[in-house]
Amino acid sequence: MTTTKKSDKKIDLRNFKYYFNRELSWLEFNRRVLAEATDHRTPLLERLKFMSIVSSNLDEFFMVRVAGLKQQVEAGVTKLSADGRSAEEQLQAIAELLRPMIEEQHQHFEKVLKKELTKYGINLIDYVDLNQEQKAYLNSFFEEHIFPVLTPLAVDLSHPFPYISNLSLNLAIVLKDPSTDRELFARLKVPKSLPRFVALPKELRQRYRGKVGVWSGVPLEQIITHNLKYLFPGMNILESSVFRVTRNTDLALEEDEADDLLLAIEQELQKRRIGGSSVRLEIQAFIPENIRATIMRELILQEDDVYDIDGLIGLGDLMSFMSLPLPELKDKPWSSALPPRINWLEDENASLFDLIRKQDLLVHHPYHSFSGTVLRFITQAAQDPDVLAIKMTLYRTSGDSPIIKALISAAENGKQVVALVELKARFDEENNIIWARKLENSGVHVVYGLPGLKTHTKITLVVRQEEDKINRYMHIGTGNYNPKTAKIYTDLGLLTCDRDLGADLTDLFNFLTGYSQQKSYRKLLVAPVSLRDRMIDMIRREIEHCHNGKSGRIVAKMNALVDTQIIETLYEASQAGVKIDLIVRGICCLRPQLKGISDNINVVSVIGRFLEHSRIYYFQNDGSEEMYIGSADWMTRNLSRRVEAVTPIESLEIFKDLQEILGIMLSDNRQAWELRSDGTYIQRKPADGEEAHSTHELLMEMAAQLAELD
């Protein structure tokens, strides 16, 4: 589509040069996470945590995104990305961008973080640096605890190259038979059933400031490497190298042909445990060339798929160090507060329904307690004799979810309970299957969503008999009903009994569970029905205000901005003079600050202690301001291939609260990164004499102060 400037020169706003590549933008997000791991202002163990997150993020990136691009290449797909790259070109660009990033990550861990850890009595020791007493202990530990678990696999004419399971750590071993002088090859899997880092007993720990250190230990694979003689008696061990394979693990499911979706996904999960085609090989940098070539050939990988690692492979396992009892090396503990209005309730068992009936309530996790708000709402509904029905969507929830227990309790109490469980929630499919079966067995009506659409919306509807009428209470949120992630993800939720929203949620659940073809809603914006069109209409409305000599203003916060139709409309808005601030945590395909295209668009990303997950959309509308929150990002998948719900905010008090949140994030000079027109991000820093303003720190302080005031 084209737009016209004052000069009447037409600009093709879908030109490749106006878009960033989605995959490369995601890698830039991971670079910002890595920056937290290398920032001296981040507490030391939290830096290890971020190191772990970087690696875990990359594992998923390869298992899904890189795997998808490889499949496109194999299938001969010729469609180009928004920035004009073929799948093959994207794979090449990923490798070029990623190699120096991975080198930086590992170099920082090996040369900086490990040394920093020793200053606090934490010693991750290389086996070769152990003293004789420590080696003796670990040799004994190997014989008793490790050796019985190991299974070496020979590779020769009668023993084909073994299947290497996804993300497993392995040893490639070269041996020589002294009786024949023949070289042999074997593969040994490092067992996941044992801890990755084996701790030494207290009496053998390294000393720390004249006393016993907090923790000393050795990587499991190094202990195995130095005890290979027990596995291959009579053989000479010539070489041993560690390697790790990442495989395609995305579900390949033809829903229309799956009579039983639950069974079909269970079968696909069995395949995933093993993994599909290999997409990445991580290998120690010093591995002999012939062994490297053998592994690559057997895994059908090219040189671009191989990442040489100087140091530990699989830094995701560093997360285990967060369990060390060293609070001074972690973020200060945070205990979520109750929102002021709920805090007013003197009795913790007082009915939330009475409060919600008087006014809408906003909850903001993890600043506000999930258990004291959302879980309390659902639990009270399950126990309340006046509640007739509970309906909710479950995209991701924890393994020991109190939400599930509450729904089961509600069904046992004779209430009509409907749970829409999204079986296709990536990497949570198995967990969701387990709870779906448990819910069904307890009498809950379990629905698995719509063919071709993921149900991503976060909604709960409670139907309650009150005197001579029925009232509907609801929670419409931006995040999953998961008490665990609610402590580390920032999310918003609206608790309301608005009549129109109640009618809309009833219609939406009928659409999800029955044959309803609902095409319009009173207030709710629903994908894939109306959300995209309404968002574009509201952007165009700001354009019209500017064309009429008034001002236009948009502030939008989301996880990712990818959809080209939305981006094109934002470009048109910028050209019309609309001032646009975007707070985009991760992927952003829009190029800000391009002269004549996006001069009026600023993009920031906030990375820190909590994972920014809430979605907020603000439109100035010539003074008749509108604000929305909900489950959808401005991504094509959210707008076209998922069921999403976004609700307007009509309470003036809540509206102001959300404006304050957006204002805090836009003025952040500690956690905020500004996106430049060339795709790079620059972290904001306080000016000389200026205080640091951290979004997460400030919102925690505000929540604590309001709780004290009440």
Side-chain angles (χ1 to χ4, degrees), residues 17-20 25 561 567 570-571 574 580-582 584 588-605 673-681:
K17 65 183 179 182
Y18 299 138
Y19 295 85
F20 292 129
S25 179
L561 173 54
I567 293 173
L570 290 171
Y571 285 155
S574 174
I580 303 170
D581 279 304
L582 303 174
V584 185
C588 181
C589 296
L590 176 147
R591 294 187 65 181
Q593 298 300 304
L594 288 173
K595 187 174 181 180
I597 303 296
S598 55
D599 316 63
N600 291 309
I601 303 177
N602 295 306
V603 179
V604 297
S605 170
W673 296 73
E674 294 183 359
L675 174 59
R676 301 193 301 187
S677 60
D678 63 358
T680 59
Y681 284 80

Side-chain angles (χ1 to χ4, degrees), residues 231-279:
L231 288 156
F232 304 99
M235 293 288 180
N236 296 329
I237 312 297
L238 301 181
E239 300 279 355
S240 176
S241 303
V242 179
F243 70 97
R244 184 173 181 257
V245 177
T246 310
R247 293 185 175 276
N248 180 347
T249 60
D250 210 13
L251 288 178
L253 188 67
E254 293 295 335
E255 292 181 56
D256 293 340
E257 298 177 7
D259 294 331
D260 187 332
L261 188 59
L262 200 67
L263 179 61
I265 288 182
E266 281 184 318
Q267 292 170 345
E268 284 294 320
L269 285 173
Q270 292 292 335
K271 298 176 186 176
R272 175 188 285 177
R273 287 192 187 95
I274 300 171
S277 57
S278 49
V279 295

Side-chain angles (χ1 to χ4, degrees), residues 496-520:
T496 181
C497 66
D498 182 271
R499 292 182 65 84
D500 286 341
L501 285 176
D504 278 347
L505 253 65
T506 298
D507 289 341
L508 180 53
F509 274 108
N510 289 341
F511 169 68
L512 292 170
T513 63
Y515 291 112
S516 166
Q517 294 294 322
Q518 190 76 21
K519 295 297 182 183
S520 63

Side-chain angles (χ1 to χ4, degrees), residues 91-92 95 99 296 302-307:
L91 287 171
Q92 184 178 354
R99 291 187 192 286
M296 287 175 58
Q302 305 300 316
E303 192 61 41
D304 278 350
D305 304 317
V306 182
Y307 289 80

Side-chain angles (χ1 to χ4, degrees), residues 123-147 195-201 204 206 215-227 230:
N123 292 275
L124 182 56
I125 312 167
D126 287 330
Y127 191 94
V128 293
D129 295 327
L130 295 170
N131 61 40
Q132 289 304 313
E133 196 176 5
Q134 291 169 329
K135 287 181 180 178
Y137 169 81
L138 289 176
N139 289 348
S140 176
F141 183 88
F142 172 84
E143 290 184 31
E144 293 181 20
H145 300 284
I146 303 175
F147 179 74
R196 173 71 189 279
F197 305 109
V198 178
L200 290 165
L204 294 178
Q206 307 292 86
W215 185 93
S216 294
V218 181
L220 176 61
E221 65 272 20
Q222 292 188 14
I223 300 172
I224 296 172
T225 296
H226 286 85
N227 285 277
Y230 295 105

Side-chain angles (χ1 to χ4, degrees), residues 111 129 189 198 316 335 553 570 572 631 706:
K111 296 184 177 180
D129 295 327
K189 183 176 180 178
V198 178
S335 296
R553 178 89 169 104
L570 290 171
E572 292 175 9
S631 58
L706 287 172

Side-chain angles (χ1 to χ4, degrees), residues 552-586:
R553 178 89 169 104
I554 297 170
V555 183
K557 177 185 183 298
M558 66 204 81
N559 299 327
L561 173 54
V562 174
D563 188 75
T564 53
Q565 196 174 345
I566 291 282
I567 293 173
E568 182 181 356
T569 312
L570 290 171
Y571 285 155
E572 292 175 9
S574 174
Q575 291 178 325
V578 180
K579 302 298 182 184
I580 303 170
D581 279 304
L582 303 174
I583 305 166
V584 185
R585 182 197 74 207

Side-chain angles (χ1 to χ4, degrees), residues 327-563:
E328 67 274 17
L329 300 183
K330 303 176 187 179
D331 288 326
K332 292 178 182 178
W334 167 246
S335 296
S336 301
L338 286 174
R341 299 179 192 86
I342 293 181
N343 215 19
W344 291 340
L345 295 175
E346 295 181 4
D347 183 356
E348 65 179 15
N349 295 316
S351 173
L352 281 181
F353 300 115
D354 294 339
L355 192 59
I356 297 169
R357 199 161 52 248
K358 295 176 184 176
Q359 59 185 326
D360 290 352
L361 300 176
L362 179 74
V363 292
H364 190 192
H365 313 300
Y367 312 107
H368 295 156
S369 166
F370 182 86
S371 61
T373 56
V374 179
L375 178 57
R376 180 175 175 180
F377 171 67
I378 296 167
T379 302
Q380 284 192 352
Q383 298 170 350
D384 190 328
D386 294 328
V387 168
L388 305 177
I390 303 173
K391 302 180 181 183
M392 72 181 302
T393 57
L394 290 171
Y395 188 72
R396 302 185 197 274
T397 189
S398 57
D400 55 350
S401 173
I403 299 279
I404 300 294
K405 294 175 184 176
L407 294 179
I408 291 172
S409 173
E412 291 172 347
N413 290 336
K415 304 182 191 308
Q416 177 89 353
V417 182
V418 177
L420 195 142
V421 180
E422 181 48 75
L423 294 179
K424 303 183 293 297
R426 184 176 290 143
F427 300 117
D428 268 344
E429 300 96 341
E430 187 168 8
N431 185 51
N432 287 0
I433 286 172
I434 292 169
W435 284 112
R437 292 197 187 283
K438 191 163 187 177
L439 286 168
E440 285 181 324
N441 292 337
S442 69
V444 174
H445 298 290
V446 179
V447 182
Y448 301 121
L450 302 170
L453 294 174
K454 275 189 181 180
T455 304
H456 189 249
T457 181
K458 328 294 184 184
I459 52 175
T460 300
L461 176 66
V462 174
V463 181
R464 192 169 187 258
Q465 180 73 51
E466 295 176 354
E467 297 178 352
D468 60 344
K469 62 179 179 180
I470 286 178
N471 275 337
R472 286 174 282 204
Y473 298 83
M474 65 222 78
H475 172 267
I476 304 171
T478 69
N480 300 310
Y481 292 108
N482 188 326
K484 292 182 178 178
T485 57
K487 295 178 181 178
I488 55 175
Y489 288 16
T490 71
D491 272 305
L492 293 160
L494 177 70
L495 289 163
T496 181
C497 66
D498 182 271
R499 292 182 65 84
D500 286 341
L501 285 176
D504 278 347
L505 253 65
T506 298
D507 289 341
L508 180 53
F509 274 108
N510 289 341
F511 169 68
L512 292 170
T513 63
Y515 291 112
S516 166
Q517 294 294 322
Q518 190 76 21
K519 295 297 182 183
S520 63
Y521 293 85
R522 299 155 188 84
K523 292 182 178 180
L524 210 60
L525 309 186
V526 176
V529 179
S530 61
L531 180 57
R532 177 196 295 279
D533 290 343
R534 285 289 292 120
M535 286 292 178
I536 288 177
D537 286 346
M538 287 187 284
I539 298 171
R540 292 196 183 284
R541 187 175 60 191
E542 298 299 316
I543 294 173
E544 285 302 309
H545 290 316
C546 286
H547 285 165
N548 293 330
K550 300 172 182 177
S551 64
R553 178 89 169 104
I554 297 170
V555 183
K557 177 185 183 298
M558 66 204 81
N559 299 327
L561 173 54
V562 174
D563 188 75

